[in-house]
Amino acid sequence: MKELKREISYLTSTTNLSLLRRSESRCLATFSFDKVNEEVKLFAPLFHKMVSTITKESCIGTAVTSCIALKSANTHMSAFQHVIGQVLDHGGATDETIDTLAKMSISVSATRKGQQNLLERQKKHISNLLENELSTQNTCKSDIIGDNIDILRSPSQMSVEKKRQSWHWFLLVGLEKRIFATGLDNTKPIANICQVENGIFIPNMEDSSFLEQNFIYHIMQVLVKHVDTLRKYTPFIPQFISHEHIDASCRKSDYAIIDLLNKSENKSEEMIEILEYVHDKCIGKSDEETQAHLKMRVFGGDVLTNERAYSAQLALHNGTSELDRLQCVIHRPEGLHRIMNHLLFIYQQFYKVTSAGEPGTLSHLRNTVGRVDVRGPDEVIQKYRSHYAFVEDCLDAFIVGAYMHLSGTQNLQTESPLQQTMFNFLSDEQKYTFIHKLAKDILDKYVKTDIHNIRRKTDALDTQSSQLKDMYCSEKMKYVCPICNKLYKTKGGMKRHLNKEHGFSFELGDENSTTEKDHIATYRASFMTCALLLRDTNDAYKMGDGNRITVNAKFQMLLARVGKHTKYQLWLFRYLAYIKCLLTPQMAYEYMWNCSANLQGGLGRNIPNDNLVEILVQTVKKKVYCQGANASYASVRKAALTTQIQEEIKENLQSQCDKKKSGSKRPKANKTSDILEMVSELNAAQMFDSIPGREFRSFSGFEDLFTRVNVSELHSWITENRERLSYEVLN
């Protein structure tokens, strides 16, 4: 016993700088059971032998038992208890619970000093993330994302002094950029937006062909998943749509909560203060003395955040310097809300409760498979996942039904006439060619819509606009007719003169078909097009494919116009304008390719940047609920800034205990029976036949979505917004 007391006395002595005395955040994040055992075994071999015998030689058991015993012997030997305290606090344990465990030497009570240590570590993390230069290159290494946190607190009993509290705070997050373009020019914008043609914002033949190839890939994936006789082709289809930065997109992202501001984006004055904070803390100066040029940093968020920040800049547009004008942030609409808006558009166009009795409509299919959590456009945002999953399942059902109609099969188990003989003797390329052609035939016959007409008309309008521009004489400040030399003050007057006197036509001819249309087939093709675009956009964000995200934005902008989603149309246009004109080549490339974050690391595990912010917003809200009546802005801000360090401590503990992190992936439900049931309904409704003159009563005269675009009005709208951007966005 004397020997045991001597060992413990020596181990807990201040002369021995024990690991268990170190409660700094750096030490807590790297706490190691192995090192604790090594130290105890070195300085107290008898004590270690006794504890290890009791715990049956368990490494973790020996370390934990030793830590608790030594904490009882000396209160300063509390590193392990600090680790447990931070894990409990991070998990939502109340102060009372933590204090109770502290009485048993299992934890320690929360202290101001402990929180301050965590805050200091977080500040270092933020400082490293917001470094303004990457090695010797003049580029920011991170982007800023933000969103509002809105919380309503209601007291159990209201009174004049005790009413509801409505809290509105703004969360700022720094996100590391994983893809850089340091070899590109970073001195001047790509183009003058006043001089480019409107056609660069409209999908061209190359964009359409690119999108069709992606559609074919998704159709192939559905076929080999649901058609039994085609599953053998699975190894010959690429697992993913590759791109040039696939390795960088697999790397885990570094991010940090920069601050929780007691400001709301819904108030113009406070939005200006938020941007001032961003400029003060996050924008680096390239010339501190003259402030001649400040670094530009992307400020991402949902469309509401973008709109508020953009309006705040316009309010200070007359400032004397970039800093005064708050002009050093570049706005970017992020992906989650883009996908949500596109999903909402699909439900607005294809889902009506009144169509529940019409076989083949989405509402009828919803009732067929009993998706009671799908309620239509009004609840798409509130119940996003269930509505997204239903559209995905409907798309799979339409593709499988199209395959059955094309091949003439009655069920998915029987051999199709469309099959390759001597399959085992064919090359991999021949097998891929077969399944690719099958998917292309489905696309061409059942899905493909004509979007090229929009591009053709836009090019014609660009040509007309260019010709009229050449007629303007800057000396006379009038338009001069090239035929009779008459002068006109306005463009409209010049156009009327050319039309009346010289027979020029400025009208765009529409190809009106005299044949009777099958509006149900149009409904089917339009839905499949929109659903495939939704799937491809979501997949592009998962893969971190900036090029696909940008190409799809052109199509989404047109659909947003059809659906009268004015703000999304405007911000998709501005997104394209930044990439095509307003930014330098280097900034545009990095702006386009850093639209996603990877929290786990690995292939296809990226999420849109605003999805990351939403996750962190929910984390902060949990902190508020855990603090209960004691919650305040100051306490929640501290909790928000320390949550990442606490997560780091918890993950370190989990890795040593071989505990897998939960909640990183949702289990997938088997939807095969649902899809087969929907396929039967679609076939019974003859959705894949071509029968002129038929239509759904609830979708009377349904027209292809892209043909609804008024190209003349679209051209005028783009021209107007190009002119606006030329003076609203200062380069």
Side-chain angles (χ1 to χ4, degrees):
M1 291 298 292
K2 287 183 179 181
E3 179 64 19
L4 189 61
K5 288 181 179 180
R6 187 191 64 79
E7 288 183 353
I8 293 177
S9 177
Y10 178 71
L11 186 59
T12 58
S13 173
T14 54
T15 58
N16 178 25
L17 298 177
S18 173
L19 294 172
L20 298 180
R21 285 182 172 272
R22 301 173 187 174
S23 58
E24 302 87 358
S25 58
R26 176 180 57 83
C27 298
L28 299 184
T30 57
F31 183 85
S32 171
F33 290 128
D34 289 333
K35 290 182 179 179
V36 169
N37 283 330
E38 289 175 7
E39 181 182 275
V40 174
K41 187 176 182 179
L42 178 63
F43 297 111
L46 179 61
F47 174 70
H48 178 268
K49 182 65 176 176
M50 183 184 69
V51 173
S52 61
T53 302
I54 295 172
T55 58
K56 297 182 179 180
E57 307 293 335
S58 169
C59 174
I60 296 177
T62 301
V64 170
T65 304
S66 300
C67 289
I68 294 175
L70 292 171
K71 169 65 167 57
S72 298
N74 189 312
T75 56
H76 297 290
M77 303 287 282
S78 58
F80 172 73
Q81 285 74 13
H82 275 89
V83 169
I84 299 300
Q86 295 299 338
V87 172
L88 289 170
D89 183 60
H90 185 60
T94 63
D95 288 345
E96 184 181 9
T97 300
I98 297 174
D99 289 342
T100 302
L101 294 175
K103 296 294 184 181
M104 297 182 282
S105 297
I106 297 174
S107 176
V108 292
S109 301
T111 62
R112 185 175 180 181
K113 182 180 178 181
Q115 278 192 330
Q116 195 61 37
N117 284 336
L118 298 186
L119 289 173
E120 289 299 324
R121 183 172 174 82
Q122 180 71 0
K123 286 179 181 178
K124 290 180 181 178
H125 184 197
I126 294 170
S127 177
N128 292 334
L129 191 63
L130 296 181
E131 283 181 357
N132 296 306
E133 293 192 2
L134 181 71
S135 65
T136 59
Q137 303 297 331
N138 190 27
T139 181
C140 292
K141 62 182 289 188
S142 60
D143 294 335
I144 307 297
I145 322 161
D147 198 7
N148 237 35
I149 299 179
D150 304 306
I151 300 173
L152 181 65
R153 299 293 298 271
S154 298
S156 57
Q157 294 182 6
M158 289 191 183
S159 66
V160 175
E161 294 81 13
K162 201 172 183 181
K163 297 181 179 180
R164 283 179 177 170
Q165 288 181 303
S166 182
W167 291 335
H168 303 282
W169 303 322
F170 196 83
L171 185 68
L172 280 174
V173 180
L175 176 63
E176 173 198 31
K177 293 198 291 191
R178 294 174 292 168
I179 297 171
F180 296 92
T182 51
L184 297 179
D185 177 58
N186 195 30
T187 58
K188 60 182 179 179
I190 295 174
N192 185 337
I193 195 169
C194 291
Q195 297 177 357
V196 299
E197 294 184 344
N198 290 346
I200 69 170
F201 303 103
I202 305 296
N204 55 25
M205 292 289 290
E206 183 180 349
D207 296 330
S208 298
S209 177
F210 178 74
L211 186 67
E212 287 172 9
Q213 289 303 314
N214 296 335
F215 282 4
I216 289 171
Y217 167 80
H218 295 301
I219 292 172
M220 288 191 296
Q221 291 289 356
V222 173
L223 293 177
V224 299
K225 179 180 179 181
H226 295 292
V227 181
D228 292 342
T229 57
L230 297 179
R231 284 203 177 99
K232 57 189 177 183
Y233 289 93
T234 303
F236 312 107
I237 299 175
Q239 294 182 358
F240 55 88
I241 299 175
S242 187
H243 57 82
E244 57 265 43
H245 297 295
I246 195 71
D247 292 335
S249 68
C250 293
R251 186 163 57 85
K252 186 176 179 179
S253 300
D254 184 20
Y255 66 92
I257 294 178
I258 297 174
D259 209 344
L260 180 67
L261 304 179
N262 193 13
K263 312 288 181 187
S264 172
E265 66 178 18
N266 298 320
K267 296 180 180 179
S268 300
E269 299 85 356
E270 293 188 0
M271 189 70 233
I272 291 174
E273 292 173 2
I274 291 170
L275 287 186
E276 287 175 343
Y277 179 92
V278 171
H279 279 70
D280 183 44
K281 302 294 183 181
C282 309
I283 304 295
K285 302 172 185 177
S286 57
D287 189 339
E288 294 184 359
E289 294 181 359
T290 64
Q291 297 186 4
H293 180 69
L294 299 172
K295 304 280 182 59
M296 306 292 286
R297 199 184 286 274
V298 172
F299 182 71
D302 58 28
V303 164
L304 178 60
T305 302
N306 290 140
E307 186 64 31
R308 301 292 190 192
Y310 192 83
S311 298
Q313 286 182 325
L314 291 182
L316 301 176
H317 204 265
N318 294 328
T320 56
S321 67
E322 288 179 311
L323 190 59
D324 293 335
R325 294 190 298 267
L326 302 179
Q327 207 66 39
C328 299
V329 294
I330 306 163
H331 307 283
R332 180 172 61 201
E334 301 294 357
L336 175 62
H337 289 81
R338 270 179 57 178
I339 295 172
M340 280 184 174
N341 182 70
H342 187 53
L343 181 65
L344 175 62
F345 170 82
I346 290 175
Y347 276 92
Q348 288 174 337
Q349 299 298 322
F350 301 100
Y351 188 98
K352 290 182 180 179
V353 176
T354 55
S355 68
E358 299 181 83
T361 63
L362 295 193
S363 183
H364 177 79
L365 294 176
R366 175 259 190 195
N367 293 340
T368 299
V369 295
R371 298 289 179 87
V372 295
D373 53 352
V374 174
R375 299 294 183 87
D378 294 339
E379 296 191 23
V380 167
I381 305 302
Q382 290 81 2
K383 299 180 179 178
Y384 166 72
R385 294 191 185 280
S386 59
H387 286 78
Y388 183 92
F390 178 64
V391 169
E392 288 276 278
D393 295 341
C394 286
L395 175 61
D396 285 1
F398 272 91
I399 291 173
V400 172
Y403 163 77
M404 293 177 66
H405 187 268
L406 181 68
S407 61
T409 56
Q410 298 301 316
N411 60 70
L412 299 177
Q413 287 72 39
T414 58
E415 287 291 335
S416 165
L418 303 175
Q419 59 178 322
Q420 288 179 299
T421 57
M422 303 181 69
F423 177 82
N424 294 329
F425 296 96
L426 299 175
S427 66
D428 293 353
E429 184 178 353
Q430 288 173 315
K431 295 171 184 176
Y432 173 75
T433 302
F434 171 81
I435 192 69
H436 184 276
K437 183 180 183 303
L438 184 58
K440 188 177 186 303
D441 290 342
I442 291 174
L443 178 70
D444 291 340
K445 186 173 181 180
Y446 302 101
V447 183
K448 203 169 182 180
T449 57
D450 182 22
I451 194 176
H452 306 309
N453 195 37
I454 298 176
R455 179 69 187 208
R456 180 186 63 78
K457 292 180 179 180
T458 302
D459 289 342
L461 288 170
D462 279 340
T463 302
Q464 292 177 7
S465 180
S466 178
Q467 290 172 343
L468 286 169
K469 195 173 183 180
D470 292 339
M471 295 178 192
Y472 185 77
C473 178
S474 57
E475 293 181 359
K476 299 177 180 179
M477 298 183 68
K478 291 183 180 180
Y479 290 91
V480 181
C481 177
I483 300 174
C484 62
N485 292 327
K486 283 191 175 181
L487 304 178
Y488 289 88
K489 291 182 179 180
T490 64
K491 186 185 295 185
M494 186 78 254
K495 289 173 69 174
R496 286 190 293 272
H497 167 76
L498 291 171
N499 178 258
K500 183 178 179 180
E501 301 296 334
H502 304 296
F504 279 59
S505 176
F506 293 94
E507 299 295 327
L508 296 175
D510 291 322
E511 300 176 2
N512 296 321
S513 176
T514 57
T515 59
E516 205 170 7
K517 295 181 179 179
D518 182 356
H519 295 287
I520 290 181
T522 304
Y523 175 94
R524 177 206 67 225
S526 296
F527 168 73
M528 294 179 74
T529 299
C530 290
L532 280 167
L533 180 60
L534 177 71
R535 179 172 293 183
D536 188 57
T537 304
N538 189 47
D539 183 67
Y541 276 102
K542 285 183 178 179
M543 299 303 300
D545 191 340
N547 185 46
R548 255 199 297 167
I549 291 169
T550 302
V551 171
N552 290 1
K554 293 183 178 181
F555 295 91
Q556 288 179 316
M557 187 185 77
L558 296 178
L559 294 178
R561 182 170 185 82
V562 172
K564 298 182 180 179
H565 295 185
T566 310
K567 285 189 177 180
Y568 277 89
Q569 179 194 1
L570 178 61
W571 274 103
L572 286 169
F573 167 76
R574 288 173 178 169
Y575 170 82
L576 293 169
Y578 275 121
I579 294 172
K580 301 293 184 182
C581 308
L582 299 173
L583 300 179
T584 66
Q586 177 185 336
M587 292 170 65
Y589 195 87
E590 295 176 2
Y591 178 92
M592 177 174 67
W593 279 97
N594 288 286
C595 290
S596 59
N598 194 327
L599 304 187
Q600 306 295 328
L603 180 66
R605 305 192 74 177
N606 293 279
I607 60 174
N609 290 343
D610 52 339
N611 197 351
L612 167 62
V613 179
E614 289 292 337
I615 292 171
L616 295 176
V617 165
Q618 295 305 316
T619 300
V620 174
K621 285 186 176 181
K622 288 179 182 177
K623 294 290 184 181
V624 174
Y625 302 141
C626 289
Q627 292 181 9
N630 296 323
S632 64
Y633 165 70
S635 65
V636 175
R637 179 176 179 269
K638 285 182 181 179
L641 291 174
T642 57
T643 185
Q644 280 185 271
I645 308 302
Q646 290 178 335
E647 180 68 19
E648 186 181 354
I649 293 171
K650 187 187 79 172
E651 288 180 354
N652 175 56
L653 214 58
Q654 286 179 328
S655 65
Q656 295 185 69
C657 298
D658 294 327
K659 168 72 172 64
K660 291 184 179 180
K661 187 175 180 180
S662 59
S664 61
K665 202 171 184 180
R666 288 181 174 83
K668 291 185 178 180
N670 187 353
K671 305 288 187 69
T672 303
S673 58
D674 287 27
I675 291 170
L676 293 178
E677 186 70 24
M678 286 192 282
V679 169
S680 299
E681 292 293 325
L682 294 172
N683 288 334
Q686 297 180 306
M687 287 294 293
F688 305 101
D689 293 329
S690 179
I691 306 174
R694 64 176 180 162
E695 65 180 11
F696 292 125
R697 292 189 305 275
S698 300
F699 300 93
S700 179
F702 191 93
E703 296 291 337
D704 176 74
L705 296 175
F706 289 108
T707 63
R708 300 182 197 178
V709 177
N710 187 314
V711 181
S712 297
E713 292 180 359
L714 174 65
H715 192 274
S716 299
W717 182 86
I718 293 176
T719 301
E720 176 188 342
N721 280 280
R722 282 199 297 114
E723 292 175 357
R724 279 187 61 188
L725 283 179
S726 67
Y727 58 81
E728 287 182 352
V729 179
L730 303 177
N731 297 317

